[in-house]
Structure formats: C-alpha cells, structure tokens
Amino acid sequence: MTFSDRLRQLRQEKKMTQSVLGRAIDISPRMISFYESGNHFPRDEIILKRIAGLFQVSLDYLMGYSDLREEDSLKKLCGTYRSLSAADRKTVMDFMEFLAEKNPPSA
C-alpha cells in the first residue's frame, strides 16, 4: 500500500473529512486531496509526524514500509523482551514461532 492509500484509509477509518484532517494537522484540505490522489507527497517531515501521531501509527506504517501500525505496542514489546533472561527470550521466540506456524499469513 502506498502513502496515499494509507492516508485515505486511516482518514476514512476515523470517519474524518479531508477538511477535518487538514485542520487537525494544519494544512489545507486541498493538500490532503493531493496527498490522497498521489499527486503530491509531504515535503515536510513535521507533516508526516503529525499525520502519524494523529492516527497513532508508525512512520514506517504510514509510508508503506511496514504493515505494523502500533509503534507504542512494538516499543513496549521490545522493552519487555530486552528485560527477560536469555532462557525466557528463547521461550518467547519459540512460542512466537509456534503461533506463526499455527496462523500463517494470508496471501
């Protein structure tokens, strides 16, 4: 999915109009329309951060580099994992592999 697709999807999930989104991140609704159509891309990193923050997704998700939305959940997961003993880390990884085999990704 592209940035424009993700932006449109996130906005629609929140039942926001382009005008409401524009006001929320301090840009014109016309620019939101340009972003969603793929005709323009935010030149300013601040705009990308505002969008990601508003929708509570990672920049990687917003940009289409990752399908994982929840940056805060991932940070918490990583922090918890790092605090575990080596044996507990192995147990976690074994369990995650078990779950992955049990629930293969859909094509």
Side-chain angles (χ1 to χ4, degrees):
M1 234 184 207
T2 65
F3 167 77
S4 58
D5 295 330
R6 292 261 163 103
L7 179 60
R8 183 181 311 104
Q9 177 186 29
L10 291 166
R11 180 181 60 77
Q12 290 174 343
E13 285 175 3
K14 296 284 187 184
K15 300 185 182 351
M16 298 175 86
T17 64
Q18 290 178 340
S19 294
V20 169
L21 175 55
R23 281 192 302 274
I25 61 172
D26 199 27
I27 62 173
S28 72
R30 183 175 169 106
M31 285 308 299
I32 299 296
S33 176
F34 286 148
Y35 294 163
E36 288 185 0
S37 68
N39 291 328
H40 288 281
F41 184 82
R43 295 183 193 170
D44 191 345
E45 177 182 328
I46 292 169
I47 298 298
L48 290 170
K49 287 181 178 180
R50 286 179 187 165
I51 294 169
L54 178 69
F55 293 117
Q56 298 179 331
V57 297
S58 69
L59 286 171
D60 282 347
Y61 178 82
L62 184 61
M63 303 294 293
Y65 300 137
S66 170
D67 289 331
L68 299 174
R69 288 187 181 203
E70 303 87 9
E71 185 173 359
D72 289 339
S73 297
L74 291 172
K75 286 180 183 177
K76 182 178 178 183
L77 178 64
C78 289
T80 301
Y81 181 81
R82 281 192 291 269
S83 71
L84 298 174
S85 68
D88 287 344
R89 286 182 186 183
K90 180 171 181 350
T91 300
V92 167
M93 292 306 298
D94 290 345
F95 185 66
M96 288 178 66
E97 288 172 10
F98 164 77
L99 290 175
E101 289 174 12
K102 181 180 163 192
N103 303 293
S106 56

